[in-house]
């Protein structure tokens, strides 16, 4: 995968762009044939050859030389925008000074990885033999090393945008085998099935019941359906107040906030609880989006 995390403001802009794309028919270019009338025959004008006399000596045209948009670079933002523009019917050329896609967030094979960190020098044969070890010399694509490891939620807007732009034809996704937390110095797996929840030592039996009630409320909550709010205004109630309403202890609060909602700190505790509910709903929907997924 060559995904790179971006600020929420960018995702908001991309969601708006994607929504516009879905409602917009492809834009015909000026040199496309016009539809015929009368007997239904199409009238196509013969295109005149492009004149590159203006081009400085020693330069050559890129492909056929006619593009409506030229995108410089193949980072996540550049690839995503070029895909959206292409879907809208524009003729797009994407160029990169590197011999691989992804910019600073690329996934590199062994040769490209060696060149990047060895000033462009190509690896010697013993480089592959050393990595392969007893199994013999490693093949160039036995490894694909992420320069910037990326984690995205299976049901998140980023995945939806990538599917919409068909960028997934060039990307491979791999489910994380599991998520873990540390409790009192012990590493514990985050349960993802009913059996794992019952067997987990992360919570006491009574705390599991309270946690279950919180999850049921979260699953039923629909911002547009007041009946599901159960008398709570999550736009004014803070996350801390919502935890207190369900009687959740401090560790369960940390578990929900950091292992499920994926908050980096506790600032969310004083923010409207609607943000917490939306984050936990995204976690739950991502976990169930693909059958038998070991993590969201």
């Amino acid at each position: 995968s060559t995904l790179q995390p971006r600020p929420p403001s960018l995702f908001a802009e991309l969601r708006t762009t994607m929504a516009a794309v879905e409602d917009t028919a492809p834009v015909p270019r000026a040199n496309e044939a016009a539809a015929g009338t009368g007997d239904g025959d199409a009238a196509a004008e013969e295109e005149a050859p492009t004149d590159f006399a203006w081009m400085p000596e020693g330069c050559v045209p890129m492909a056929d030389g006619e593009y409506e948009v030229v995108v410089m670079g193949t980072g996540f933002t550049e690839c995503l925008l070029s895909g959206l523009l292409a879907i809208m019917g524009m003729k797009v050329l994407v160029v990169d000074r590197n011999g691989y896609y992804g910019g600073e967030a690329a996934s590199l094979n062994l040769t490209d990885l060696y060149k990047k960190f060895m000033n462009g020098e190509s690896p010697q044969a013993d480089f592959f033999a050393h990595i392969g070890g007893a199994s013999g010399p490693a093949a160039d694509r036995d490894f694909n090393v992420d320069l910037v490891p990326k984690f995205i939620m299976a049901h998140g807007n980023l995945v939806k945008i990538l599917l919409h732009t068909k960028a997934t034809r060039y990307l491979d996704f791999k489910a994380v085998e599991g998520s873990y937390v540390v409790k009192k110095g012990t590493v514990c797996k985050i349960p993802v099935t009913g059996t794992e929840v019952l067997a987990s030592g992360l919570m006491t039996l009574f705390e599991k019941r309270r946690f279950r009630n919180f999850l049921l409320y979260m699953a039923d909550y629909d911002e547009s359906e007041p009946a599901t709010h159960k008398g709570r205004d999550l736009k004014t109630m803070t996350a801390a107040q919502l935890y207190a309403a369900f009687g959740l202890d401090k560790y369960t609060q940390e578990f929900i906030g950091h292992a499920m909602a994926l908050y980096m700190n506790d600032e969310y505790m004083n923010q409207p609880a609607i943000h917490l509910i939306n984050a936990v709903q995204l976690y739950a929907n991502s976990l169930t989006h693909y059958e038998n997924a070991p993590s969201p």
Side-chain angles (χ1 to χ4, degrees), residues 121-139:
E121 295 182 10
S122 297
Q124 303 296 319
D126 59 352
F127 170 73
F128 295 97
H130 178 72
I131 292 178
S135 301

Side-chain angles (χ1 to χ4, degrees), residues 25-126:
V27 180
R29 295 188 294 274
N31 61 357
E32 288 185 340
T37 58
D39 59 0
D41 293 335
E45 297 181 2
E46 184 177 350
E47 296 183 21
T50 305
D51 183 8
F52 294 108
W54 55 270
M55 188 173 293
E57 184 177 354
C59 295
V60 295
M62 294 183 292
D64 64 4
E66 292 186 340
Y67 296 92
E68 292 161 304
V69 179
V70 177
V71 179
M72 311 293 287
T74 57
F76 167 66
T77 304
E78 292 82 2
C79 288
L80 185 56
L81 291 178
S82 62
L84 289 170
L85 292 171
I87 288 176
M88 294 174 68
M90 303 186 75
K91 193 171 183 181
V92 183
L93 175 67
V94 183
V95 295
D96 198 310
R97 60 185 175 184
N98 298 314
Y100 51 82
Y101 289 99
E104 294 304 314
S107 295
L108 304 183
N109 60 32
L110 292 177
T111 297
D112 288 332
L113 184 68
Y114 189 96
K115 287 181 177 180
K116 180 172 180 62
F117 293 101
M118 298 300 290
N119 298 320
E121 295 182 10
S122 297
Q124 303 296 319
D126 59 352

